[in-house]
């Protein structure tokens, strides 16, 4: 029996040899694949940033949309019960949407009263009053000169004098239009050119209700 110790090579023990590249990488403190992981992260990071900014911006945009929709709907309901429309009514509607400052440069509210045709000689409805607040540069969709005064064809037809009945189906309607210019609160439009910039430095959203 040979009493001398036997020498086992690293390759025989399943260990990397001194010339193995992976051993040299581990000795130098470098982890294989780390560089490719950093490259992948660098490629994905911009997309993650855009996703986060878009979530914030579009969340605020949806909130603004809900506000102006409620202002138009409730305003139309209230205005339709008033015998006359005046600046106090537009002021009340602007106050109900004070989170958006609708009476300022980024908002505009129109209230329009339309009377039905009352005679066979004048069967078509006509706008009898229109008031506004806010200074945003937009025009009302409900206006003289527009087809059907800007109303839907069905509503307009109900306001036309009916010679058979001797009156129109509806005596009058009141329309409320609310406009708001939303400006991005994040740098998203700079990262995605043109996004949320359809009207200069923002995007105009609108809502209309007819009662």
């Amino acid at each position: 029996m040979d009493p001398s110790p036997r020498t086992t090579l690293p390759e025989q023990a399943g260990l990397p040899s001194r010339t193995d590249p992976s051993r040299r990488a581990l000795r130098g403190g470098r982890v294989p694949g780390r560089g490719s992981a950093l490259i992948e992260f660098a490629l994905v990071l911009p997309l993650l940033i855009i996703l986060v900014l878009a979530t914030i911006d579009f969340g605020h945009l949806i909130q603004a949309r809900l506000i102006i929709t409620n202002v138009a709907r409730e305003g139309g309901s209230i205005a339709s019960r008033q015998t006359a429309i005046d600046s106090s009514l537009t002021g009340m509607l602007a106050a109900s949407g004070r989170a958006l400052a609708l009476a300022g440069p980024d908002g505009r509210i129109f209230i329009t009263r339309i009377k039905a045709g009352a005679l066979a000689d004048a069967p078509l409805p006509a706008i009898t009053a229109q008031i506004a607040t806010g200074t945003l540069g937009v025009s009302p969709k409900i206006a003289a000169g527009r087809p059907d005064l800007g109303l839907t064809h069905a509503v307009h037809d109900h306001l036309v004098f009916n010679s058979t009945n001797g009156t129109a189906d509806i005596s009058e309607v009141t329309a409320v239009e609310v406009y708001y210019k939303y400006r991005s609160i994040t740098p998203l439009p700079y990262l995605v050119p043109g996004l949320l910039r359809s009207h200069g430095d923002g995007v105009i959203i609108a809502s209309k209700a007819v009662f």
Side-chain angles (χ1 to χ4, degrees):
M1 188 172 192
D2 187 3
S4 61
R6 300 181 63 183
T7 302
T8 303
L9 297 175
E11 293 84 349
Q12 296 173 340
L15 299 175
S17 67
R18 294 183 178 181
T19 59
D20 192 335
S22 63
R23 180 166 181 169
R24 291 199 302 268
L26 292 173
R27 185 186 304 168
R30 296 187 299 273
V31 179
R34 184 177 181 182
S36 61
L38 289 176
I39 293 175
E40 292 174 359
F41 178 74
L43 293 174
V44 172
L45 182 59
L47 297 178
L48 292 177
I49 293 175
I50 291 175
L51 180 61
V52 171
L53 296 181
T55 301
I56 296 172
D57 247 327
F58 281 95
H60 279 79
L61 180 60
I62 292 172
Q63 183 184 29
R65 174 70 181 179
L66 290 175
I67 291 174
I68 67 170
T69 298
N70 289 334
V71 171
R73 183 183 297 116
E74 296 301 322
S77 178
I78 294 172
S80 65
R81 296 194 293 268
Q82 304 295 315
T83 56
I85 55 176
D86 53 32
S87 58
S88 64
L89 187 55
T90 55
M92 181 182 66
L93 297 186
S96 67
R98 59 184 176 275
L100 304 181
L102 295 175
D106 290 337
R108 189 81 162 156
I109 299 175
F110 295 97
I111 303 178
T112 308
R113 177 68 53 83
I114 303 172
K115 291 282 189 180
L119 300 170
D121 295 336
L124 298 179
I127 295 175
T128 57
Q130 186 173 71
I131 59 175
T133 188
T135 57
L136 182 64
V138 294
S139 301
K141 301 297 184 184
I142 305 294
R146 292 185 178 273
D148 295 333
L149 298 178
L151 300 169
T152 64
H153 187 68
V155 173
H156 183 268
D157 281 353
H158 284 299
L159 292 168
V160 175
F161 180 80
N162 188 326
S163 57
T164 302
N165 299 331
T167 184
D169 297 335
I170 304 174
S171 61
E172 68 178 22
V173 296
T174 301
V176 174
E177 301 172 72
V178 183
Y179 298 86
Y180 175 68
K181 187 173 187 178
Y182 175 80
R183 290 182 171 85
S184 176
I185 61 174
T186 73
L188 184 61
Y190 297 99
L191 299 176
V192 185
L195 186 64
L196 299 176
R197 291 285 181 89
S198 59
H199 297 85
D201 59 346
V203 56
I204 295 177
I205 55 178
S207 183
K208 178 177 69 175
V210 179
F211 282 80

